[in-house]
Amino acid sequence: KNQVEQSPQSLIILEGKNCTLQCNYTVSPFSNLRWYKQDTGRGPVSLTIMTFSENTKSNGRYTATLDADTKQSSLHITASQLSDSASYICVVIPNPNSGYALNFGKGTSLLVTP
Amino acid sequence: DSGVTQTPKHLITATGQRVTLRCSPRSGDLSVYWYQQSLDQGLQFLIQYYNGEERAKGNILERFSAQQFPDLHSELNLSSLELGDSALYFCASSTTLGSFGDTQYFGPGTRLTVL
């Protein structure tokens, strides 16, 4: 069973609207949680990195939140643009003492339409 | 452009064959990571090298091997290829050993098709 579950699997929104992507994980303990943006056919690009003690991290119109108690993270995109159309991947990095079994979500595919 | 280069961009080969994928990290980066991305499995971490030495292993098959050379470029060797090995293979680099705590910069990937 995947230890990182992302929802929704896909999402279509109108340009200019906001949206929130969810990531639920069971990995424990963990070192940090990351969100990546991946355009079709290209390598992932890091958006945010949060340690377990951080609650929120922003990168322009992208804001990630983390609730370590409920083991949930979200990525909020504000005032969406057509260029936000991509797959967004949540990655949970375990505590190094637990090994290097990186835990990737399968991603949320976002389509922003005019 | 992340500064990480990968060659070739596309590779088509037959089952049972062996291929080598090449990665050049960003200037100054000592860590190189290899990932496999298939449609049904998503991204999976394969292996990490740091300054020429293997540092961490993920879900890498025994048919696969990698190395990092003194000039820090890395190669991923895939042998006895099977249809299921068809995937995008990404290389990423980072400045430090990281324990995955630092930002990784991904290359454009090599698309491998096994027929």
Side-chain angles (χ1 to χ4, degrees), chain A residues 34 38 43-44 100 104 106, chain B residues 35 37 40 43 90 100-102:
Chain A
R34 306 171 177 221
Q38 185 176 22
Y100 288 92
F104 291 89
K106 293 197 174 180
Chain B
Y35 295 87
Q37 187 175 40
D40 56 342
L43 260 175
F90 289 105
F100 301 95
D102 54 350

Side-chain angles (χ1 to χ4, degrees), chain B residues 67-80:
Chain B
Q67 54 183 326
Q68 187 179 27
F69 295 87
D71 67 352
L72 301 176
H73 91 270
S74 178
E75 292 181 355
L76 178 67
N77 300 297
L78 314 176
S79 61
S80 302

Side-chain angles (χ1 to χ4, degrees), chain A residues 86-98:
Chain A
S87 180
Y88 292 83
I89 302 170
C90 173
V91 184
V92 181
I93 317 298
N95 184 302
N97 294 330
S98 304

